[in-house]
Amino acid sequence: MITINAMGKACPEPVIMTKAALEKGATELEVLVDNAVAASNVTRLLEGQGFQVERRENAGEFRLTGRRDGAAAATAPASASCPQSGARLAVLVTGKTLGREDKELGEVLIKGFMGTLSKLGTPPAVLALMNEGVKLALPEASTCDHLKDLEKAGTRVLVCGTCTNHFGITEQVGVGTVSNMFEILEAVTGADRILSV
């Protein structure tokens, strides 16, 4: 069994370290991390690669044990973070308003943008929220229901965990998956087109 000590490593380093071990053919590994966001991100990566994951926590430290048998290895997707096949559009949102000069107008515009996006015939494959954009995923945000509609339509809503930690809102996120820079970049750059807002 391979042990990956990612204690003290900021996201997305634990995911990158785990992915490197997987690329070398690891089928049984243990990953040590010291925060819940990293534990969730690594767990998702491993499960997406066909691993059974056992997660143990002790005083804020996580021990993730992943095992994959030969059959699961043969059928695992090439990447846990790639958008679904046929993906056309990835949307990257880095602010809680659309435009910067008039905050009130910007809030109206971003709500309208998300509402319209959720009603498009073909929803985006990925919608990534970073910086103040993560606040759009809070339950009290006027955009939260639109993001839920997008998620129901098949859009992967990825919320930057570094950003939610910075703003102290990780536990309050009401939609999407709290993610990391590696997964977000892999998902966004895997689409045919990228729209940055």
Side-chain angles (χ1 to χ4, degrees):
M1 176 179 292
I2 296 171
T3 298
I4 298 167
N5 186 348
M7 301 290 280
K9 303 285 187 186
C11 270
E13 192 66 24
V15 172
I16 293 170
M17 293 169 71
T18 305
K19 190 168 182 355
L22 297 180
E23 289 170 352
K24 292 178 182 173
T27 57
E28 194 171 325
L29 70 164
E30 181 177 70
V31 184
L32 309 175
V33 295
D34 59 5
N35 66 80
V37 171
S40 294
N41 288 331
V42 170
T43 298
R44 257 192 344 276
L45 172 69
L46 290 173
E47 288 176 345
Q49 294 289 323
F51 281 76
Q52 295 295 318
V53 180
E54 179 185 339
R55 175 175 163 159
R56 290 175 300 211
E57 179 184 2
N58 182 22
E61 295 181 353
F62 298 83
R63 180 179 301 270
L64 309 169
T65 305
R67 290 182 176 82
R68 175 170 71 179
D69 63 26
T75 59
S79 170
S81 303
C82 287
Q84 299 168 345
S85 60
R88 285 182 285 290
L89 177 65
V91 180
L92 177 63
V93 181
T94 60
K96 64 179 185 174
T97 62
L98 186 55
R100 303 287 185 255
E101 297 301 319
D102 188 312
K103 182 181 172 191
E104 188 175 317
L105 175 60
E107 288 174 359
V108 170
L109 292 175
I110 197 70
K111 180 180 178 184
F113 177 84
M114 292 298 176
T116 303
L117 197 59
S118 69
K119 291 173 180 52
L120 290 177
T122 304
V126 180
L127 190 142
L129 303 173
M130 299 188 76
N131 206 317
E132 283 203 331
V134 299
K135 295 179 180 178
L136 299 175
L138 294 175
E140 66 271 14
S142 61
T143 50
C144 191
D145 286 341
H146 296 313
L147 293 174
K148 287 179 181 177
D149 290 342
L150 282 165
E151 202 168 45
K152 285 178 194 169
T155 299
R156 288 180 64 210
V157 178
L158 300 176
V159 184
C160 170
T162 300
C163 305
T164 61
N165 283 340
H166 175 79
F167 294 116
I169 60 172
T170 302
E171 302 303 319
Q172 301 165 44
V173 171
V175 62
T177 301
V178 177
S179 186
N180 61 78
M181 185 66 76
F182 181 82
E183 183 178 22
I184 289 170
L185 277 179
E186 191 174 45
V188 169
T189 59
D192 299 325
R193 294 177 293 144
I194 302 170
L195 173 62
S196 180
V197 178

